[in-house]
Amino acid sequence: MFEMAVALMAVGGLAGILAGLFGVGGGMVLVPAFYYAFTSLGFAHDKLMQICLATSLATIVVTSLRSLTSHSKRGGVDWQVLRGWAPGIAVGALTSVVFAAQLKSVTLQWIFGCLGMGIGLYMAFGRSDWRLAEQMPRGLRCWILSPLVGFFSVLMGIGGGSLGVPIMTLHGMRIHQAIATSSGFGLLIAVPSVVGFFFVSLGSENLPPFTIGAVNLVAFGIIIAMTLVTTPIGVALAHKLEAQRLKRYFAIFLVFVALNMLRKAAGY
């Protein structure tokens, strides 16, 4: 238990620095970090990725709520978009929990690695002037896209930023408003999915201590505490780097994480 706490403190500290440095939500950092930490501690399990996803999403409930409140006070959130997309995102998130519960850990590793690679390459080569349309999708297009955002976000254990921000900026929304609104996406993804993951049965053999359903309460508590301490360090570092270089560093980091997860999925 002591070794687990120390390992998770290191994970949380690093996650907080990277979150502050790159502006990335917990999932892209925490899911692979949880996987490597739990595996090295001897908690290998054919459903281990479910624990990593669910626990990451539990932390996103707290961080997204804090971020949404802060952005709302500054008037940055597009509440009309958030209300319009909310039902679809929530339905997609809950559907994804049911789907993910049936998969083996290695399958979720492949999904995380492939989607992470796509997001990383978009970050590396995407341009700010790219547009699919000048306003956010409504009607049928909204009802198709919004569940997909919830569905794939849960399969990666991430909040709304990594998928939501590109969608919003490609549809004409200013980047700062997209980031603010995506914090609401994160809450809509995380809350229903975590409730669902509490009822997922993974058996009782070789699970990390204090795991309820697929959510590990020890990891959740330690990560929240550590990120509160170390995120300001990352923020301070971010202000010393130019935005374009920071985006490039984040893309490199994301591609590396995705490749490493694919390597593990392939058994190397």
Side-chain angles (χ1 to χ4, degrees):
M1 185 65 179
F2 176 75
E3 290 181 352
M4 178 177 167
V6 171
L8 290 172
M9 287 176 69
V11 167
L14 178 61
I17 291 174
L18 292 174
L21 181 60
F22 295 127
V24 58
M28 296 306 302
V29 178
L30 289 178
V31 170
F34 281 151
Y35 183 83
Y36 301 134
F38 285 138
T39 301
S40 65
L41 290 168
F43 296 114
H45 192 282
D46 65 354
K47 299 284 188 177
L48 181 58
M49 275 294 286
Q50 280 86 339
I51 296 175
C52 300
L53 299 178
T55 307
S56 170
L57 288 163
T59 68
I60 289 170
V61 173
V62 178
T63 56
S64 291
L65 180 59
R66 185 176 59 184
S67 178
L68 180 63
T69 302
S70 176
H71 283 301
S72 180
K73 289 179 180 177
R74 295 173 178 266
V77 180
D78 189 325
W79 289 102
Q80 183 177 354
V81 168
L82 201 54
R83 284 191 293 268
W85 282 58
I89 289 175
V91 168
L94 282 172
T95 304
S96 189
V97 171
V98 176
F99 180 71
Q102 312 304 317
L103 299 178
K104 291 185 177 181
S105 187
V106 67
T107 304
L108 287 169
Q109 287 176 257
W110 281 109
I111 292 171
F112 183 96
C114 290
L115 291 176
M117 180 69 69
I119 293 169
L121 291 174
Y122 176 82
M123 288 289 296
F125 300 108
R127 292 172 46 177
S128 60
D129 60 346
W130 283 0
R131 291 290 183 274
L132 293 176
E134 292 305 319
Q135 61 180 9
M136 286 291 287
R138 298 178 181 178
L140 180 61
R141 289 184 66 210
C142 175
W143 276 101
I144 292 173
L145 281 175
S146 56
L148 291 177
V149 170
F151 186 85
F152 287 111
S153 294
V154 169
L155 289 183
M156 295 185 71
I158 61 177
S162 297
L163 296 178
V165 170
I167 288 174
M168 286 184 272
T169 55
L170 285 170
H171 288 86
M173 188 180 289
R174 292 180 296 104
I175 182 64
H176 293 94
Q177 189 173 38
I179 291 171
T181 306
S182 74
S183 63
F185 279 22
L187 199 61
L188 293 167
I189 291 162
V191 170
S193 62
V194 170
V195 171
F197 272 123
F198 270 122
F199 294 96
V200 169
S201 177
L202 302 180
S204 58
E205 185 177 348
N206 205 36
L207 296 179
F210 299 101
T211 298
I212 299 178
V215 181
N216 185 262
L217 300 182
V218 175
F220 168 75
I222 291 176
I223 295 303
I224 290 299
M226 290 303 298
T227 53
L228 287 174
V229 173
T230 60
T231 297
I233 299 173
V235 171
L237 290 172
H239 283 289
K240 297 179 181 180
L241 297 170
E242 59 180 276
Q244 191 59 38
R245 182 179 298 180
L246 198 61
K247 182 180 178 181
R248 193 177 302 117
Y249 287 162
F250 171 62
I252 293 170
F253 165 77
L254 201 53
V255 169
F256 173 78
V257 167
L259 282 173
N260 202 36
M261 185 64 82
L262 290 173
R263 178 185 65 84
K264 296 290 287 185
Y268 295 104

